[in-house]
Amino acid sequence: MTASRILFCLILVGCVHAGSAAPAERVVTLTLPSAAATTGRIAARLTVSPLPRGTKLTVRLTDGQIVGAVQPYGRNAERGGSYTIPIPSEAAAAGKVTLRIELRESSGVQRAPNKEELRRVELISTSGAP
């Protein structure tokens, strides 16, 4: 085999591998709740299924800033549940907030959570002190 054929094969394998890789995060764009206009405070409510021990969900803004994480343990990990993460008001643009959510398994593998693991993401209006 010639050097150019070997190079072509390596490029082809690399392209196939890159194209088949699973996304490392799930991107969700949500509309602000109408009540947020009066309180000015918003939060993301994540509803998750039971997750394996050591699993962590990290929530970031589009600029990469981490706004919170969910790492259930004990009975909460066995049952799943809903978790609330405050979102900075400056993250809202044109009445929407875009979040990047990644799941890190206890083995260190990072990937996008599937629809069963992360069942729902919604924005809610909150009140009280920041």
Side-chain angles (χ1 to χ4, degrees), residues 77-128:
E78 295 169 6
R79 289 184 245 175
S82 293
Y83 301 88
T84 304
I85 296 175
I87 303 295
S89 58
E90 55 272 8
K96 297 187 182 294
V97 172
T98 299
L99 303 174
R100 297 172 23 206
I101 305 168
E102 65 187 29
L103 181 142
R104 184 173 302 269
E105 298 174 359
S106 60
S107 65
V109 172
Q110 180 182 317
R111 60 179 176 79
N114 63 42
K115 290 184 181 199
E116 180 60 30
E117 294 162 330
L118 180 58
R119 294 183 175 167
R120 185 174 183 181
V121 182
E122 61 186 324
L123 286 180
I124 59 171
S125 178
T126 61
S127 60

Side-chain angles (χ1 to χ4, degrees), residues 30-47:
L30 305 162
T31 302
L32 290 173
S34 56
T38 58
T39 67
R41 294 188 176 96
I42 55 174
R45 181 182 297 150
L46 284 69
T47 303

